[in-house]
Each structure stands twice: as structure tokens, then as C-alpha cells.
Amino acid sequence: MVIAEQKTQLRILLIEDDCVDGESVTRSLNKAFPNCGVRRVRCLGDATTAVAASEFDVVLADLSLPDSRGLESVVTMVQACPQNPLIVLTGHADDELSITAIAEGAQDYLVKGRISPELLQRSIRYAIQRHAMLRHNDQLLETLRQRDLLLQNKNQKLEKACKTAQKFVDNVSHEFRTPLTVIMEYASLLADGIAGPVSQEQAKLLGVIDDRASDLNNMVDDMLDVSKLESGLLGASRSPCTVAAIIDHVLPAIRRKAIVREVQLDVEIDEDLPDVFCDPAKVGRVIVNLAINAIKFTRNPGRVCISARRHGENDISIAVSDNGVGIPADRQREIFQRFAQVKTEIRDSTKGFGLGLNIAQELVDLNFGKMDVESTEGEGSSFSFTLPINCPVEVTRRFTSRLAAGQEGTGEVSAIAIAIEDDTNESVIRDVERFLVHLLRQNDLIFALPNRQWLLLVSVPSIAMDDFLTRLNKERVQINRNRPRGPLPEFQVRVEGTWNVAERAQDIVQMVDQQLGEENYCVA
Amino acid sequence: MSSLISKPSRTRNRPLQQAVQARLAKRKANGKDGGWSDPSKATRTPRILCIDDDPEICRTLEMRLSDYQAEVLVAYFGTQGFWEAITDHPDLILMDVSMPSGDGRFVLESLRNNQATEAIPVIVLTGMRDPELHSEMLALGADSFLNKPIHFDVLLSEMQSFVELSKRPE
């Protein structure tokens, strides 16, 4: 950017039809810039020809010319030579016209008759400098626009690539499951004696086939989870749930495995546990992964215990313990890494990807809990994890600190309140809630408020708020298109604000506290 | 496909929502339990149609249900499944999603848009884990959505919520 003092000769174009005025301005110019070259033309037509033919550093133009008058001259000149700064010369100090002239792109205006060499010098220098800055600014903006476009394109391509990759993983896992289903079904069909009588020994072996096939199925689930965790596509539908219901849901599969491996399985759930706030399906996967590990590593006679109890003021702790080989103290940290497995004397049953614990830990983190391991070599291990109880303020606190600690995201959280009409019935309310949950990603949170309202905390910066609201609307229209029970009701959407999670976490917590009224929601 | 649909001009233009509502209303009108516990029907063996492109899946169901008072019909691709449903009027349909020649979406939509089949309960049984697929199939009118592989006792109890399945007398 050349803004500094002109070193070379200034080339000035003067547009002035009046001879006397022309002479006087030229004189002042020569005084102001002794080495300058002044070219004078008498009308706008000549001026446009002149700027097209040769270069100038600055243009001085009278506003009343034979072929153009007033503002029109300014507009024409700015269009004809956008590369040159334009200074307007007026016969009288008419502020209105002069200010409009500057709005149209002139850099300055001078009143003829009051022109001095000093004034000219300053005005021309400033005009050149300002004009150069403006042009530079325009260039920067243009570059920014192009970069933005480029980024948008790349982002679209990446999103598409990501979705394609995910689709591929989905398809592959589906292809895996089809033969698995047949293997498992035939094994259990034979074991049940449907294809003819089987001996006890045969039934036991068939049980092993079924068991190992279900291991394989779990591995496919693990791979799906890992790929989704990795791409950030894993959703999290966190809501208030009871611990017993979560454990009951996964217990049959674990029990089946324990029976085949001849492991005693105990379940100890403390009574009067408060509800927890989590994604029940994800927590179920954690329990399954821990239990499969525990069953794998117990030693005869094998014993595994799944227990749940209160942990401090704000948490429930779920533990899976075994009487297995244990983990050496110096290796307890690395077992949570992907593909890690502790080498033990139990060779036959330790096969697997070693993804289980790593996934379990990530899923626990997703549910604002902490994973822990206690193990004594030769005595057994106990893997436990915590889940926050259903207390929105505490959950919000963990949500913000998880976001603040994470690398992903912009570090901003926006709160959106969503309400529907009063006369909607229960099943519609449930469907709206399900829709909102489906819309959210793992770094978002939803709380149900009384009176058919929800509070969404989404990790969307204010700059991308419009995009999010557009997406909300688009998905709602899409759902409505084939919803058997008619379209979802209109949403009243109100953006409550946007906060930086690192700097204003307390404000977010306070806002949630105000919106929900803690005493109604917090379980003592 | 239009030749397979009994009254194409009427049924095809009917919006899905309307069709599903009509189907639900019809089922409700048939009695609290949806008709299958109707004494006149109780003596009849329930007929279950299994639509899956893997013949072994169909065969395991046939073998499993051989102990029960039930008749199993099979179809190995989408359009065949729809044709079976139209011609044989099963009491329950068990269906895969990804199939050649008419996938699960197509079959479900066709079933729900046809008066003869709109009220037949459909259980979707798939190896896909996509949660969006779940809501999509339910939105298209599926009555239940289960994941493969599945243990027979789970599948049985799900089927029993739609048809009466009792063991054959020894």
C-alpha cells in the first residue's frame, strides 16, 4: 500500500470549464506541489477520455460543467476512474451538495475562491491516502469473501465425505450382522432341540457359538461407536432416567453370557437412588462393555458383580467388579487407550479389538461422568463410573466445563427457549421433545420446562445462530411431511443469549437456574 | 406396480397420514385388542409373512414357529412381499429394510396405501443401527422396530403383542 509521501511527480487532472478559475487553481497547485503535472480539460467527456488514456494520482472536478451538472458529474467520474481519488470544487459552500458528493465517492470538497496552496496540499494528500486505504479495504473484503466461499465449498465437501464414510461404516456393519444373525439363530435353534434332540454337551457347545457370535456383534457395535465418536456424529439424548431401568435393560444379554461362561452374576442396586441425567442407551453400552470385560477376565470360579450406589452429593456410581487377574498398577492408565489389552495368562478369551474400555470412557465423558478403576493384581478389578443425578444446575455446570475443556467447538453456548401452543396433547408434546432431542448433537443439552416449553443449550456461536434456526425449521418441515399423526405444532423460538463457556460459565448456570427454578427439579 | 394395487386411482393419491389414521381407526374399531383376540378368529391359525432377502432368516422363523400354531409365509424381495400381502392377507408381517427389488420403505408405503393391507401390523427387523431409520420407519407406519441379531424369545414376545401364538399340543 503506497500511502506515504509522493516521491515522484504528482499527476493531477483538473476538470474546469471556466478559464479564470482554471488558471487560479492551476497556480495554487503549482505552488503546493512545485513538480506536479497538471492537465486541464473543459468537460466531463474529455475527462473520461483522459483517465482512460493516461494515469493520474488525483482528479479535481468542478461540479458545473458544459456536459454535466452537480452530483451527476461526481457519479460519472467515480465510475469512470475508480482507481483515482476525486476532489470536488464548488462555487459556493453548499454543504448539502458537498456532503452528498462525498457520500457518492468523492474524497473531499473545496470551495473555489477560498483555495490556498496549503489547503490544496493537505486536501490532496489526505484524499490520496484515504482513497488508497479504501481501495485496500475493498481488496481485503473481496479476499475475505472469496475465502469464505472457498471454505463453504470445502465444508460442504467435507460434510458430504463424512456422511459417505459414515454410510459406508453403517453398511459394512449391516453386512456383518446379516450372517451373524443366521449363525446365532441356527446355534440357538439347534441348542433348543428344534432340529432334533441334542446332548447336553452339544447344547453347551452350541451355546458357545451363540456367545462368540454375540461377541462379534458387540465388536461391530464398538466399531460403529468409535467411528461416530471420531466424526462427532454420535448424538446424545440425555434425559432423566432411573438407574434400575438402565441396568434392567441390558441385564438379559449379560446374564446369557455369564451363564455360558459359568460365571456367577450378582446385581446390587441400592434402594431409593435418585434419578440420573444421562443417555440411557449409551450408559447401557458402557455397562455391557464393562460386564463383557469382567466376565472375560474372571477366574474360576468366576464372579462378577454389578452394583449401583450414591456417590457424594451429586453423583450415582455404577461399578462392575470381578475376581479376575487384576491389572498391574503401572498399567491401569493405559488400558483406557484404544486397542490396548493387558497381557495375561488367560490367552484364549482375551481376543477383541481392545476398544471396549476406550469407548466406555468416552461414553461416560459424554454423560458428564468420570470413570475409575481399582485393581489388585491377583485379586480382581472394579471398574466404576459416575453419573450426575437429575439436577439441571449441576448438569449445566458439568456441561459447560466439559465444553470449556474440550478442543472442539467455538467455546460459545447459546440458549434457545422453545414453546408450543397450550392446547397440544401429551403424545404431541412427547413427539416434539423427541424431535428436539433428535436435532441435538453430543455438545448440546435439553431441559424440559413446565408448560410445554424446553430450554436448549447448543454449542452454536451467535454468528451461526441463523444457520441453526434454519436447520431446525428445515428438519421440522421434513418430519411433518410424513408424520402419520399430522404435522408438529408451530414452535415459538426465542434466543435467550450466547455466552463464552470459558469466561461466563457461571452466567449460563445462573440462567438455567432462573429458567428452571431449582427447587422443583433437584432431587434431594 | 400399479397393476398390483386394487384401486390405484383412489388409493395412490391418498396422503399417507390419512391412510395411517384410517388404519389405526379401523384397528381400534375392531376391538380393544385389535381384532386378533376376537373369538371367531381365535380358532384360526395366525398367518405370519416374513419378507427378507436372506432365505436363511425366513427359514429360521419357519423352524422356530413350527412348534407354534402359526402359518409362515415367506417372500425374498420387496415386491414379492407386497404381492404376498395383497393376495394372502397375513395377520402379521415381519420385514427387513434393505432388500433388492423394493426395499422396506417401499413395501411399507405400498402396504399402508392399500386398503387391503393398511391395517396389517408390521414389525421391522433390521441389522441397521441408524436411529434416524428407526423414526423414519415408524413414521411410515411400522408398528415395531427391532434390531438384528435378536434372540427368539424377544422376537416372540413382540410378535405376541400382535397375534396370538400358542404352542402346538404335543
Side-chain angles (χ1 to χ4, degrees), chain B residues 5 10 14 25 30 38-39 43 46 50 67 71 73 85 99 106 145 147 162 164 170:
Chain B
I5 301 171
R10 260 183 67 193
R14 205 139 73 112
N30 281 343
D38 184 353
T43 50
C50 177
D67 271 2
E71 191 185 330
L73 314 163
M99 289 180 288
F106 164 79
F145 186 95
N147 279 324
F162 297 104
E164 203 159 287
E170 292 291 325

Side-chain angles (χ1 to χ4, degrees), chain A residues 159-233:
Chain A
E159 262 177 30
K160 207 175 153 198
C162 197
K163 275 195 185 139
T164 315
Q166 197 54 56
K167 192 102 205 147
F168 177 74
V169 175
D170 280 348
N171 285 339
V172 167
S173 65
H174 173 251
E175 293 306 316
F176 261 90
R177 269 188 249 275
T178 311
L180 263 179
T181 308
V182 176
I183 292 171
M184 287 171 75
E185 189 51 24
Y186 273 136
S188 77
L189 209 142
L190 285 171
D192 290 353
I194 285 168
V198 283
S199 71
Q200 221 173 0
E201 181 61 20
Q202 285 167 335
K204 207 173 146 190
L205 296 180
L206 287 166
V208 175
I209 295 180
D210 181 80
D211 179 51
R212 290 306 163 88
S214 88
D215 277 356
L216 212 48
N217 183 45
N218 265 313
M219 282 187 230
V220 176
D221 281 344
D222 281 354
M223 297 234 297
L224 260 184
D225 281 352
V226 165
S227 76
K228 288 203 169 144
L229 276 167
E230 203 73 353
S231 58
L233 285 175

Side-chain angles (χ1 to χ4, degrees), chain A residues 140-155:
Chain A
L140 286 178
L141 274 176
E142 185 51 35
T143 317
L144 199 65
R145 255 194 296 275
Q146 281 172 4
R147 294 255 162 92
D148 190 40
L149 213 67
L150 208 67
L151 275 178
Q152 274 180 24
N153 273 335
K154 281 199 173 152
N155 199 23

